Amino acid sequence: MNVTFLIGNGFDLGIGLKTAYADFYGIYCMPHQGDSPAVVKFKSEIQKNYKNWSDFEEAFGEYASRIDDAENYLTIFEDFVIRFSNYLEQEERNFDSSKVEIIQKGMKKALTSYYDIRPEDKEDLSKLIGSNKVYFDFVSFNYTRCLDTCLRILCKQVNYDNQIKGYISTIAHVHGYTEDNMIMGVNDASQIKNPDFSKNSDLVEEVVKPLQNQTIRMNFDNRATRIIKGSTIICVYGMSIGVTDKKWWKLIIDWLEENSAHHLIVLQHKEGTRFTFRWNRLVKEIRAKLFLYGNIPDEKQDDLVSRIHIEFNHDIFAMDLRKQATDEHTQLVKV
């Protein structure tokens, strides 16, 4: 059977890297020589309230409604992507791949405990998995290669396949890498909140992620699609169910609908979930987003609920893999 992990930025954060947009904004918003007036104004918008920009891609789509020049919009976008890429490359250097024992132990634990959540969920999933050998696939939405490195180190362990009761099969990066074919933006033209911009084919091709994937012809999205469609269990780890990845959430709901043996696990890190009412509210919010993206009518939702398993703070990939702290991030990130 095939178990696929969809991996978000929660993985890099969980191993100690400062890869959230919020970590970057303080550096990005510092004055840089050569900043255009449009970039200067954009930085001031972010500085007004970082929380409004917690999801850069969605917020940048909305920012289109406050700017009337397409060239300036693309100038800002390109400046941000370049600087964010450079920042992530610097941050990735703080990943300590020499912590081999920690990595092997942590990865083994993750791949044998991902379904060890609520007792009823665990019981359902345990019956499904049984004694089957599992092929573990990974679809990464991160730009770093930290996950790739951790998987390679695990595979070097003697008899790793017996320890995880399966095999590491495939890893696909949906949005490229920090140093090559990095893809950022929105899910579709409707998320660019400026009617003129959303009709501008050059702008749309540069800012819409699925179109970028088509343009670069690297098969990132096609490969990920094949992996997802071939899965029995999908485990989403460290990802928000955000609108700028709507394409993937719709694909997953379609996959869940097509076979009653398919199960979806969603693992997120959230504060304050020890209270039942808070936990239940968050679960309902996640389900509602998934059903909305998949266009699932109310009468069909009950059939899927029992196969969507949601838990919080089950941080299976959390490991201390950061090198000794440095002050490099007090320095200017150069293009």
Side-chain angles (χ1 to χ4, degrees), residues 2 12 19 26 88 105 111 117 132 141 148 154 172 178 190-191 212-213 218 245 276 281 313 323:
N2 290 73
D12 285 353
T19 52
L88 291 178
K105 182 179 179 181
L111 298 183
I117 44 180
N132 294 316
F141 287 74
D148 312 50
L154 171 65
T178 54
S190 70
Q191 295 176 1
Q212 292 177 59
N213 253 319
M218 292 298 293
D245 287 314
T276 301
R281 186 182 303 130
N313 307 323
K323 293 177 183 176

Side-chain angles (χ1 to χ4, degrees), residues 74-192:
L74 289 179
T75 295
I76 296 166
F77 180 71
E78 292 170 9
D79 178 77
F80 186 91
V81 172
I82 291 169
R83 295 189 186 280
F84 188 51
S85 171
N86 291 340
Y87 172 83
L88 291 178
E89 282 193 276
Q90 287 191 3
E91 187 59 30
E92 191 171 359
R93 295 188 189 107
N94 289 319
F95 167 56
D96 191 350
S97 60
S98 70
K99 296 182 176 182
V100 172
E101 290 185 9
I102 294 175
I103 292 171
Q104 289 177 336
K105 182 179 179 181
M107 296 300 288
K108 174 189 169 184
K109 181 180 179 182
L111 298 183
T112 54
S113 68
Y114 62 93
Y115 60 92
D116 188 6
I117 44 180
R118 303 267 159 165
E120 192 171 340
D121 296 296
K122 181 182 179 182
E123 183 178 343
D124 291 343
L125 293 165
S126 296
K127 289 177 182 177
L128 178 62
I129 296 167
S131 59
N132 294 316
K133 280 284 186 179
V134 174
Y135 289 89
F136 292 103
D137 295 303
F138 296 81
V139 176
S140 177
F141 287 74
N142 293 340
Y143 304 112
T144 72
R145 298 177 188 263
C146 299
L147 172 63
D148 312 50
T149 301
C150 288
L151 291 172
R152 283 198 301 271
I153 290 171
L154 171 65
C155 290
K156 289 180 181 178
Q157 188 173 19
V158 176
N159 295 324
Y160 89 92
D161 52 336
N162 287 330
Q163 295 181 50
I164 65 172
K165 299 180 180 179
Y167 308 92
I168 306 301
S169 181
T170 306
I171 179 167
H173 280 257
V174 177
H175 296 144
Y177 308 89
T178 54
E179 77 284 2
D180 191 29
N181 292 304
M182 182 171 170
I183 292 173
M184 291 183 67
V186 295
N187 182 80
D188 54 71
S190 70
Q191 295 176 1
I192 304 171

Side-chain angles (χ1 to χ4, degrees), residues 57-67 69-70 73-74 77 184-212 243-244:
E57 293 172 316
E58 182 177 0
F60 191 71
E62 294 173 354
Y63 184 69
S65 65
R66 305 200 295 276
I67 185 171
D69 186 283
Y73 189 70
L74 289 179
F77 180 71
M184 291 183 67
V186 295
N187 182 80
D188 54 71
S190 70
Q191 295 176 1
I192 304 171
K193 302 301 182 180
N194 182 314
D196 293 332
F197 291 2
S198 63
K199 297 173 185 175
N200 182 323
S201 59
D202 290 334
L203 185 148
V204 168
E205 189 175 273
E206 185 167 334
V207 176
V208 172
K209 289 186 288 190
L211 292 180
Q212 292 177 59
V243 68
T244 57

